Amino acid sequence: MSFTKAQLVASAMIETGFTRRKSAEVVESLLAILKGALESGEDVLISGFGKFCVNQKQERRGRNPATGDQMMLRPRKVVTFKCAGKLKALLNK
Amino acid sequence: MNKSDLMAALKDNSDIGRQEAEKVVNLFFQTIEDALRDGERVEIRGFGSFTVNHYKSYTGRNPKTGEQIRVPSKKLPFFKVGKELKEKVDY
């Protein structure tokens, strides 16, 4: 079982004493802010955790792996995550 | 945007105090860290999922000196962007 939003909401509820509804609202709002920043092309840096970067990818020639057809992949933006040294250290402890 | 910008924005957006916003933001990332440390996968619909990838040790080279070094096995977090966020960012 993976850890999900519901569990995040629950732990926020315990920590802050908010009602479940309020907790859910706040967590949703937090996610909306994160998404909004990335959507506008802004990087999000969380020290000790990592950095969410928006990278611009150039147009390139790709292949459909199923059919082998060549196609052009248009220029696009992608989100990448670079983990902080602290988080890496924690995982390798 | 950094963590304190995030706290400030959360405070303004959801009608809670500064301290509460700080708590929620810290808790959010802390909880993800804890889950990853326990080797658990974290999935947040619409945003993305975090998993821990194991990398085997390999013999690498210092590109500057050409010296051979053994890179130890390691674990790294991997973030897979969720569908909604992916589409939002690349309109």
Side-chain angles (χ1 to χ4, degrees):
Chain A
M1 238 299 274
S2 64
F3 192 90
T4 62
K5 199 152 70 182
Q7 284 151 282
L8 266 170
V9 169
S11 48
M13 186 173 81
I14 294 161
E15 185 78 8
T16 58
F18 289 157
T19 60
R20 181 175 292 273
R21 201 167 147 196
K22 182 75 184 165
S23 280
E25 226 179 86
V26 173
V27 170
E28 284 300 344
S29 170
L30 171 59
L31 288 167
I33 295 163
L34 282 172
K35 285 187 243 180
L38 294 168
E39 190 181 350
S40 67
E42 204 184 340
D43 292 348
V44 179
L45 173 70
I46 308 295
S47 60
F49 185 77
K51 187 177 181 185
F52 296 94
C53 302
V54 181
N55 286 339
Q56 178 73 50
K57 295 274 187 188
Q58 289 205 326
E59 182 181 55
R60 67 181 172 89
R61 186 168 291 145
R63 245 173 226 285
N64 177 335
T67 63
D69 290 344
Q70 275 210 3
M71 52 191 196
M72 278 315 257
L73 297 175
R74 59 186 180 81
R76 64 209 161 99
K77 283 196 215 160
V78 295
V79 176
T80 56
F81 175 69
K82 175 91 178 69
C83 104
K86 220 174 133 191
L87 177 58
K88 186 183 164 192
L90 180 81
L91 293 181
N92 290 285
K93 226 184 257 177
Chain B
M1 176 180 264
N2 60 28
K3 204 152 88 172
S4 44
D5 297 331
L6 187 57
M7 288 164 179
L10 183 63
K11 172 186 166 288
D12 294 339
N13 274 25
S14 52
D15 188 30
I16 55 174
R18 168 83 210 176
Q19 281 195 347
E20 290 167 327
E22 279 176 20
K23 254 188 196 167
V24 173
V25 170
N26 282 327
L27 185 79
F28 181 81
F29 294 105
Q30 186 61 55
T31 328
I32 296 176
E33 278 179 31
D34 291 346
L36 292 175
R37 190 198 51 214
D38 299 341
E40 223 181 334
R41 189 181 116 91
V42 179
E43 180 177 335
I44 299 166
R45 280 285 156 88
F47 182 68
S49 61
F50 294 89
T51 49
V52 179
N53 279 353
H54 297 242
Y55 295 90
K56 284 185 193 145
S57 92
Y58 60 93
T59 312
R61 246 172 226 283
N62 179 335
K64 230 183 235 167
T65 62
E67 198 188 338
Q68 281 206 359
I69 37 169
R70 194 179 154 272
V71 181
S73 64
K74 60 191 166 190
K75 292 180 197 169
L76 286 178
F78 176 74
F79 176 67
K80 182 164 187 257
V81 185
K83 199 173 172 200
E84 188 201 328
L85 179 60
K86 196 169 161 183
E87 283 165 4
K88 264 188 165 179
V89 169
D90 185 43
Y91 35 86

